[in-house]
Amino acid sequence: MPHLTMFGRPTPKPIKVEVFAKTDLGRTRDHNEDRFLVADLSRREASLQPAVRTHEVGERGSLFVVADGMGGAAAGELASEMATDTIYQQMVRAWGTEREVTAQRFAFRLKEAVEVANEHIHAYAATHPEVRGMGTTTTAVGVLADHCFLTQVGDSRAYLIRNGQAVQLTRDQSLMQRLVEAGELTEEEAARSERRNIILQALGPDARVKVDLTHQEVCQGDILVLCSDGLSGQVKKEEIAAVVTRERDLQAACDKLIALANERGGPDNITVVLARFHGAGLRPPEPNGQMGYQVYPLIDTETSTEPVPVYRGSRAPEPAARNRRRVIVLLVIAAAAAVALYLVNRSQ
């Protein structure tokens, strides 16, 4: 394998990944609209066969995707299937033949693949009235050498578990997340809100989509977790970290996480992808190493990533103006619902 250079640092030594994934119907749904994909892009194989479940990260990297579909009848299953399949096929076709094998081009191709998936789903729905309005969340992560690149649309999630501690790498594109960021709600209030499942965008409903593109260095022993909100809505990140740190077998860890979500009602489909990294090509984790949400800026201005616009909130209320603040919050919620016509409440 040619030696890759990531962020100016050569990685001539091997980087290995162990991966497993599983999806479950949950306790209340009658069909599963979730979908996952695990692929070794260098070998061009997407499966959970032994050769992929344990593989060396090659020149073209690895790909992990979770998609949570929505829509009537079979529309949700179709949207999530189209998303995962299109992203993989686009990466094989465009990135697989890319001459410039760099982090910059890899990140660009990954973001491009998600945008192509959106175009395909939107175009299909436009010509098939029975599935019009279908959509899917998508969290697609590409791993190249010692970095992972994350693309986010919707509210599925990616976490990084390091030394038993969990950090969320993605930001939910949801109404509640925007209000939390604006300081209008606490995370606990958002988690209890009846509007917690309202997302601000998905793949499919609109012709164009803003893909959030971020990155994270991977260190020895790191575990990457991708999941739909069927897991994150029922199991806290600290609990996820405890399970995957304690359980060395990734298949057993997937089973335990899904069982935990089901024990708490299993109100939605549950999907989880676990990937553990090791090898001499990775640095050992540092006590103060940077972890978390980090935007990855593309060089080309016409393709620069832009996170979904964040509501910044009102100015600090004047004395005795608490009621005015509450009115502003209500107006924000109403405006967000009116502007994003495709807002989906999957809790119904």
Side-chain angles (χ1 to χ4, degrees):
M1 184 185 94
H3 295 179
L4 295 176
T5 298
M6 296 295 294
F7 295 85
R9 189 165 67 87
T11 57
K13 297 178 181 179
I15 296 170
K16 297 182 179 180
V17 58
E18 303 170 59
V19 61
F20 195 77
K22 189 172 183 179
T23 187
D24 186 81
L25 183 64
R27 291 285 176 85
T28 63
R29 299 298 176 92
D30 58 7
H31 58 288
N32 196 337
E33 296 182 320
D34 284 5
R35 184 93 171 187
F36 68 80
L37 183 137
V38 171
D40 178 349
L41 293 174
S42 299
R43 298 176 65 248
R44 299 191 175 193
E45 181 178 350
S47 73
L48 277 181
Q49 293 301 310
V52 176
R53 285 175 58 177
T54 301
H55 68 269
E56 186 173 323
V57 178
E59 182 184 25
R60 298 290 167 171
S62 304
L63 177 68
F64 312 125
V65 186
V66 165
D68 181 353
M70 60 203 73
E77 295 105 303
L78 180 60
S80 58
E81 181 180 6
M82 289 181 69
T84 52
D85 290 352
T86 302
I87 291 169
Y88 171 66
Q89 292 163 6
Q90 181 69 18
M91 286 298 286
V92 168
R93 181 167 51 248
W95 167 246
T97 58
E98 178 71 58
R99 293 183 179 180
E100 188 182 341
V101 185
T102 65
Q104 188 72 209
R105 294 304 292 172
F106 183 65
F108 166 75
R109 291 299 188 189
L110 181 62
K111 178 172 178 284
E112 176 188 57
V114 177
E115 292 168 343
V116 169
N118 180 71
E119 293 169 3
H120 286 187
I121 297 169
H122 182 76
Y124 183 90
T127 57
H128 294 78
E130 70 277 10
V131 294
R132 189 159 293 168
M134 73 176 183
T136 181
T137 72
T138 300
T139 301
V141 180
V143 179
L144 189 68
D146 62 352
H147 267 71
C148 65
F149 300 87
L150 306 98
T151 54
Q152 175 76 5
V153 177
D155 65 348
S156 292
R157 289 184 178 178
Y159 299 102
L160 186 72
I161 315 297
R162 179 176 293 172
N163 293 330
Q165 301 299 310
V167 173
Q168 187 173 334
L169 300 180
T170 55
R171 284 185 181 169
D172 297 351
Q173 295 175 353
S174 66
L175 181 58
M176 291 300 101
Q177 176 65 26
R178 296 303 175 253
L179 292 175
V180 168
E181 290 171 1
E184 304 287 3
L185 292 176
T186 66
E187 290 187 4
E188 291 74 18
E189 289 170 337
R192 294 192 302 267
S193 172
E194 294 180 356
R195 298 183 178 88
R196 64 184 177 275
N197 292 319
I198 296 178
I199 59 175
L200 297 180
Q201 66 169 1
L203 295 187
D206 283 352
R208 295 181 63 84
V209 68
K210 287 186 176 180
V211 180
D212 205 0
L213 175 63
T214 56
H215 70 106
Q216 172 68 51
E217 181 183 357
V218 178
C219 294
Q220 291 178 11
D222 281 357
I223 303 171
L224 180 68
V225 181
L226 273 65
C227 63
S228 62
D229 68 338
L231 180 69
S232 60
Q234 305 302 314
V235 183
K236 295 180 179 179
K237 65 181 181 181
E238 294 80 10
E239 295 173 308
I240 295 174
V243 170
V244 302
T245 301
R246 184 174 59 247
E247 182 56 69
R248 291 296 301 173
D249 182 78
L250 294 184
Q251 183 172 353
C254 285
D255 290 340
K256 289 183 178 180
L257 289 172
I258 289 171
L260 193 53
N262 276 325
E263 287 171 10
R264 296 173 181 177
D268 203 351
N269 307 143
I270 310 158
T271 300
V272 59
V273 176
L274 301 179
R276 181 189 291 121
F277 298 90
H278 55 91
L282 298 174
R283 290 193 283 199
E286 299 176 356
N288 299 317
Q290 192 169 15
M291 294 172 61
Y293 179 88
Q294 304 171 71
V295 172
Y296 186 79
L298 293 173
I299 292 174
D300 307 288
T301 55
E302 69 273 17
T303 60
S304 292
T305 183
E306 286 184 57
V308 173
V310 175
Y311 165 62
R312 295 296 181 186
S314 56
R315 292 182 177 180
E318 299 172 2
R322 177 173 290 183
N323 288 337
R324 183 191 307 169
R325 183 182 178 90
R326 290 176 177 173
V327 169
I328 291 173
V329 173
L330 292 174
L331 289 174
V332 169
I333 293 173
V339 172
L341 295 179
Y342 56 82
L343 293 181
V344 179
N345 191 330
R346 290 176 289 151
S347 65
Q348 296 180 347

